Amino acid sequence: MFQIKPSHQWQNNLPTMYDLPSEDPEEPGLPDEFHALQPNLLSQTLRSPRHPREDCFLATDLNLYFDVKNPRWYKRPDWFLVLDPVRGCEQQDLRWSYVIWQELISPFLVVELLSPGTESEDLGQTVREANAPPTKWEVYEQILEIPYYVVYDRYVNEFRAFHLRGGRYQALALPDGRLWFEELELGLGVWQGRFDGVQGLWLRWYDRHDVWIPSLSERAEEQQQRAEEQQQRAEEQQQRAEVQQQRADRAELDLEQERMRVEEERRKNQELRDRLLKMGIDPDRLS
């Protein structure tokens, strides 16, 4: 097998994943692993009491077209949530993209995961050039008027959130790194743990009791644990039933032995009476 073993100096000069081009010349590189895992956890743990999953549309890295006059303009959020959209029931109806002038419903929440190449635009720090498409911040805030915008920087473990008020995004205070959405009856917070075999700090949903919504693997583990507990309870009940049966059998045996003892005593008494009668003695007259 052909292998390249660069020297330490060469290694320092090799391009990073952010330097290598993607198929789209306008993009600096391909999404990294975190951009696949984190949205997956968000989707798995979104279980809103007010909005069943069939009434939600969740999208990861999907083109979001926002201007009917410029139909080629789009943004690609790392993850977004739409409430009460029209949902297709057949596989062929699944969306290729999200086209706002057809959907007529803007996302309720957008989550962006910061990368070195997109940080400035994600945080609204880039200036729109003349005749250029609007920036991501402008699209979310002023065109689509998305109520909530969340940004997470895994490099410094910083979770920031913005709420649309008066046509502008206002930063929200996040005590303990958590944000409650009354519209969903769910909260979004930073959780430390292992997801899909990777240990780290992750964004995930929690319920009104501050309990983290379980992921698919966690639900499977919980179901397996409940099944094992039910099996254990069934075995314990079986053992108790066997003990009770043994006690019943023992009581029945004791009862039979007592009956046999009484019967044996009665037989002996009868034999004694018979002998006394043969001897001309009335047993009933004996004191």
Side-chain angles (χ1 to χ4, degrees):
M1 179 182 296
F2 177 71
Q3 292 182 333
I4 297 178
K5 297 181 179 180
S7 66
H8 179 72
Q9 181 178 2
W10 289 354
Q11 287 179 337
N12 291 336
N13 294 328
L14 288 175
T16 69
M17 60 183 173
Y18 297 107
D19 300 318
L20 299 174
S22 69
E23 295 178 352
D24 187 342
E26 296 181 0
E27 294 184 4
L30 298 174
D32 55 40
E33 286 185 288
F34 180 72
H35 280 70
L37 291 175
Q38 176 62 88
N40 192 16
L41 180 59
L42 287 173
S43 296
Q44 289 187 24
T45 58
L46 180 71
R47 294 290 184 274
S48 170
R50 291 189 176 182
H51 297 274
R53 285 297 294 268
E54 59 269 21
D55 294 335
C56 299
F57 176 65
L58 315 179
T60 299
D61 201 31
L62 188 72
N63 286 0
L64 172 59
Y65 291 89
F66 55 87
D67 190 342
V68 66
K69 296 180 180 179
N70 296 277
R72 294 186 179 275
W73 286 359
Y74 68 88
K75 300 300 176 184
R76 187 182 297 168
D78 291 321
W79 188 89
F80 66 91
L81 163 66
V82 183
L83 301 179
D84 302 320
V86 176
R87 293 300 307 274
C89 298
E90 301 293 336
Q91 188 181 57
Q92 58 267 26
D93 296 330
L94 296 178
R95 292 173 173 82
W96 293 78
S97 56
Y98 195 85
V99 182
I100 195 65
W101 58 86
Q102 292 178 343
E103 305 283 356
L104 303 179
I105 301 177
S106 287
F108 170 77
L109 167 67
V110 163
V111 176
E112 292 288 0
L113 310 173
L114 293 191
S115 298
T118 64
E119 180 176 356
S120 296
E121 184 177 3
D122 290 340
L123 295 176
Q125 298 171 352
T126 55
V127 178
R128 181 181 182 180
E129 299 178 359
N131 300 321
T135 65
K136 185 180 296 182
W137 186 281
E138 290 174 322
V139 171
Y140 297 165
E141 177 190 65
Q142 301 171 26
I143 298 177
L144 296 180
E145 298 181 331
I146 297 172
Y148 291 95
Y149 178 42
V150 163
V151 177
Y152 182 56
D153 186 348
R154 69 182 173 109
Y155 300 98
V156 295
N157 299 322
E158 186 175 11
F159 170 36
R160 281 172 281 187
F162 305 89
H163 186 207
L164 192 67
R165 294 174 181 170
R168 289 291 183 269
Y169 277 137
Q170 304 294 326
L172 296 173
L174 303 177
D176 301 322
R178 295 190 174 195
L179 173 62
W180 181 256
F181 296 85
E182 191 61 39
E183 300 91 337
L184 303 174
E185 287 190 28
L186 286 179
L188 190 62
V190 179
W191 165 78
Q192 184 171 10
R194 184 176 297 275
F195 174 64
D196 202 12
V198 179
Q199 181 72 28
L201 293 169
W202 307 86
L203 284 181
R204 68 183 298 171
W205 298 94
Y206 63 91
D207 64 19
R208 190 173 290 279
H209 305 289
D210 290 334
V211 176
W212 299 108
I213 307 297
S215 64
L216 293 178
S217 61
E218 290 168 343
R219 286 199 292 273
E221 292 175 1
E222 290 177 356
Q223 291 175 356
Q224 177 65 25
Q225 183 177 356
R226 285 196 295 269
E228 292 175 354
E229 291 174 351
Q230 291 175 354
Q231 178 66 24
Q232 182 178 357
R233 286 195 295 269
E235 292 175 355
E236 292 174 352
Q237 291 176 354
Q238 179 66 24
Q239 292 175 355
R240 287 195 295 269
E242 291 175 355
V243 170
Q244 292 175 353
Q245 183 62 44
Q246 291 174 357
R247 290 176 180 173
D249 293 343
R250 180 64 182 175
E252 184 177 356
L253 178 61
D254 292 344
L255 183 62
E256 179 62 19
Q257 291 177 343
E258 178 65 16
R259 186 190 65 78
M260 293 175 63
R261 187 191 63 79
V262 171
E263 181 63 24
E264 179 64 16
E265 184 176 350
R266 188 197 65 77
R267 184 185 65 76
K268 290 180 179 180
N269 289 338
Q270 186 61 41
E271 289 179 351
L272 179 59
R273 285 177 61 86
D274 293 343
R275 285 198 299 270
L276 290 173
L277 289 173
K278 289 181 178 180
M279 296 171 60
I281 301 174
D282 186 357
D284 293 331
R285 296 179 64 87
L286 294 176
S287 58

